[in-house]
Amino acid sequence: MSPKIQRIVGVLDECIYSMELVALLPSEETRLQSLSQKLRPEMTSALAEDLRLGKEYETLSLDPEAEGQEAAAEAVQTSFLNVSRLLRSCPSSAEVVLKDSEPLKEDRKGVQEMLEWLKDYRSFLLQQLYMTPREERLHLQQMREAPLRYESNQEALAALEREMAATIEAMDKEISWLSKVIDWLKRSMDRIEKRAEDFVAQKKNNAERRNESLQKTSQLKQAQILEEISQLELQLESLIKRGLEDEREQRKRCTKLRGMVEDWIDVYDTEIEQKQTELEETTQLYEMEMAELSDLQKYHAVREVEYLQVVERRRIEKELREKEERERGLRIRAAAVILQSFWKGWRVRKAMKEKSKKSTEKKKGKGKGKKGKGKKGK
């Protein structure tokens, strides 16, 4: 640690120690009496004097028009410095005051808040002092890049959601189309079976009617009818075989379509799992970046407060400069007015002198003229 940092940290530690003493010093005489048995006499008297001066200053501060407030404040400061010096010279007394400290009252809450702020500021200042310029530049760069990364992640997440929705919609359409195909095949098979049954029943009815008609008409055509019946039976068998073959082919096609549907469902499940994994990874990354963004925002808030302080100080300096320039301009204008008035007065006086000279010269000229005329008349 460099000597400069040590001096800065030492000053903050001194302030923190002083604030702790202010927060934990006794505020009532009963408390002071209980501590007087554990402290030295000069320490007890110094604490009693500090308590007395503090009460006097509180009494004076209640009346804004009362005199002696500044003197009372200086006396309180001097008394506190004396108490602090005694506590530093006797660490055991300071330990007794800090160990047997009473609970903070409402009038000491502000001191406690100031103490906590000083401790936080000490840790923040140490962090700032130990931060190298390269780390500070990296920190600022991360602060600038965090919103951009957040926006890009949001866009990527939205694109993945849109792609997943489109994929799900396409799979739903394809599944609905396959379901319609399966229903159509089932209805086709039912129609074929019904047609086959109707055809067989119709053929049987036709055969029976023909058989009856043949029996009624002639015994001779029985053989031909039997042959026709056998042929019809052969045709019926071939039709049944053909219907069975068609049914097997339809069943094969249906089985194939079901396998395709199952394959598509497996592919859909696999893709959904991949998309879910990607979504979880993106969500984790988003949470990490949001945490980092919150830290950066806290740091930015602290830096913004410092920036506002610098801007306010510059504004005050600028106002002072402008005020000085205005005063200087007023002085210059006043001097110019004085010089102009002096110059105009001098010119007026000069003109008056010249006018008076001319008038005297004219009077002298007139007098000489009158004397010359008188001599000529004589």
Side-chain angles (χ1 to χ4, degrees), residues 35-79:
L35 290 175
S36 61
Q37 299 175 0
K38 301 178 183 180
L39 299 175
R40 293 185 299 173
E42 59 270 18
M43 179 63 69
T44 305
S45 62
L47 290 174
E49 181 67 17
D50 182 71
L51 183 60
R52 184 184 64 79
L53 291 174
K55 289 183 177 179
E56 290 179 357
Y57 179 71
E58 288 179 359
T59 304
L60 290 174
S61 62
L62 295 175
D63 187 6
E65 298 180 357
E67 298 180 355
Q69 291 186 4
E70 296 181 357
E74 292 179 358
V76 170
Q77 292 178 0
T78 305
S79 176

Side-chain angles (χ1 to χ4, degrees), residues 333-378:
R333 285 195 293 273
V337 170
I338 293 170
L339 289 173
Q340 288 177 1
S341 62
F342 177 76
W343 169 251
K344 290 178 181 179
W346 180 80
R347 289 186 64 184
V348 169
R349 287 194 297 273
K350 184 178 179 182
M352 293 294 292
K353 286 180 181 180
E354 290 178 355
K355 189 175 180 181
S356 62
K357 285 180 181 181
K358 288 180 181 180
S359 62
T360 52
E361 288 177 358
K362 287 180 180 180
K363 288 178 181 180
K364 287 180 180 181
K366 288 180 179 180
K368 288 180 179 180
K370 288 180 180 178
K371 288 179 180 181
K373 289 179 181 180
K375 288 179 180 180
K376 288 179 180 181
K378 289 179 180 181

Side-chain angles (χ1 to χ4, degrees), residues 215-351:
Q215 285 180 358
K216 290 179 180 179
T217 57
S218 177
Q219 292 291 333
L220 297 174
K221 293 182 179 180
Q222 187 175 4
Q224 295 177 356
I225 293 171
L226 290 173
E227 289 179 0
E228 290 179 359
I229 290 170
S230 63
Q231 290 177 0
L232 291 171
E233 288 177 353
L234 291 174
Q235 291 178 1
L236 178 62
E237 289 177 356
S238 64
L239 290 173
I240 292 171
K241 289 179 181 180
R242 190 180 299 173
L244 292 173
E245 289 177 358
D246 292 338
E247 183 179 0
R248 284 194 296 271
E249 290 179 357
Q250 293 295 333
R251 290 184 182 277
K252 287 180 181 179
R253 288 179 63 185
C254 183
T255 304
K256 185 177 180 181
L257 290 172
R258 287 177 181 174
M260 290 173 65
V261 170
E262 290 176 356
D263 293 337
W264 278 108
I265 291 172
D266 293 335
V267 171
Y268 169 77
D269 293 337
T270 304
E271 289 181 355
I272 288 299
E273 290 177 356
Q274 292 177 357
K275 298 296 183 182
Q276 186 67 27
T277 304
E278 293 177 359
L279 182 61
E280 291 176 356
E281 292 176 354
T282 306
T283 304
Q284 292 177 358
L285 182 61
Y286 169 74
E287 292 175 353
M288 292 172 62
E289 289 183 352
M290 285 299 293
E292 185 178 357
L293 179 61
S294 64
D295 295 337
L296 292 175
Q297 287 177 348
K298 292 178 182 177
Y299 177 76
H300 175 69
V302 175
R303 300 296 293 178
E304 187 177 4
V305 171
E306 296 179 356
Y307 171 74
L308 293 175
Q309 292 176 355
V310 172
V311 170
E312 182 66 18
R313 187 171 64 252
R314 290 179 178 176
R315 184 185 64 78
I316 293 170
E317 292 176 355
K318 183 178 179 182
E319 290 178 355
L320 291 174
R321 287 196 301 270
E322 291 177 354
K323 184 177 179 182
E324 291 177 356
E325 290 177 359
R326 288 195 299 271
E327 291 177 355
R328 190 182 300 112
L330 292 173
R331 290 196 295 272
I332 290 171
R333 285 195 293 273
V337 170
I338 293 170
L339 289 173
Q340 288 177 1
S341 62
F342 177 76
W343 169 251
K344 290 178 181 179
W346 180 80
R347 289 186 64 184
V348 169
R349 287 194 297 273
K350 184 178 179 182

